[in-house]
């Protein structure tokens, strides 16, 4: 029982790492986009905008996974807690 809870928490931490990485990547891309706009390199700006859109879509998918994992962790904890108190 505790092992399943620990596994779920570990998976959630790995997902959180992915979320944080993608958020940092999006910020990096947005800064590059701003610089390219300043330099008026519109072809590169379009490429960067596409990359930002892709990363935001990926971030949304991972966020949904993270939410599901959170629900699984809560259910696992509640199940373990109810078995201990029964």
């Amino acid at each position: 029982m505790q092992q399943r809870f620990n596994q779920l928490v570990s998976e959630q931490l790995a997902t959180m790492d992915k979320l944080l990485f993608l958020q940092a990547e999006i910020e990096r891309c947005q800064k590059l986009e701003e610089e390219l706009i300043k330099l008026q390199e519109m072809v590169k700006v379009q490429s960067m905008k596409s990359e930002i859109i892709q990363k935001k879509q990926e971030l949304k998918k991972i966020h949904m996974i993270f939410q599901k994992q959170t629900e699984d962790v809560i259910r696992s904890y509640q199940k373990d807690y109810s078995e201990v108190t029964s």
Side-chain angles (χ1 to χ4, degrees):
M1 289 177 271
Q2 183 69 21
Q3 184 178 5
R4 176 69 178 145
F5 177 78
N6 289 340
Q7 178 187 358
L8 290 170
V9 170
S10 293
E11 289 172 4
Q12 192 176 31
L13 288 173
T15 302
M16 179 59 84
D17 286 343
K18 289 178 186 177
L19 281 170
L20 293 172
F21 173 77
L22 275 173
Q23 287 174 335
E25 281 293 294
I26 289 170
E27 288 175 15
R28 180 188 65 81
C29 290
Q30 288 172 331
K31 286 179 184 174
L32 282 172
E33 178 186 28
E34 290 172 14
E35 289 299 316
L36 292 172
I37 289 171
K38 288 178 187 174
L39 296 172
Q40 296 183 344
E41 295 187 36
M42 294 313 289
V43 173
K44 291 181 182 179
V45 169
Q46 290 302 321
S47 174
M48 191 56 56
K49 283 185 180 193
S50 295
E51 187 174 344
I52 290 168
I53 289 169
Q54 175 196 6
K55 289 186 183 303
K56 283 183 176 181
Q57 290 170 344
E58 190 176 347
L59 181 65
K60 185 176 180 179
K61 289 177 188 176
I62 292 174
H63 189 264
M64 290 171 59
I65 291 169
F66 185 78
Q67 284 181 307
K68 184 186 178 310
Q69 289 173 332
T70 299
E71 293 167 6
D72 291 344
V73 166
I74 291 168
R75 276 193 294 278
S76 174
Y77 178 80
Q78 288 172 336
K79 182 180 178 214
D80 290 349
Y81 182 74
S82 69
E83 287 177 5
V84 169
T85 59
S86 297

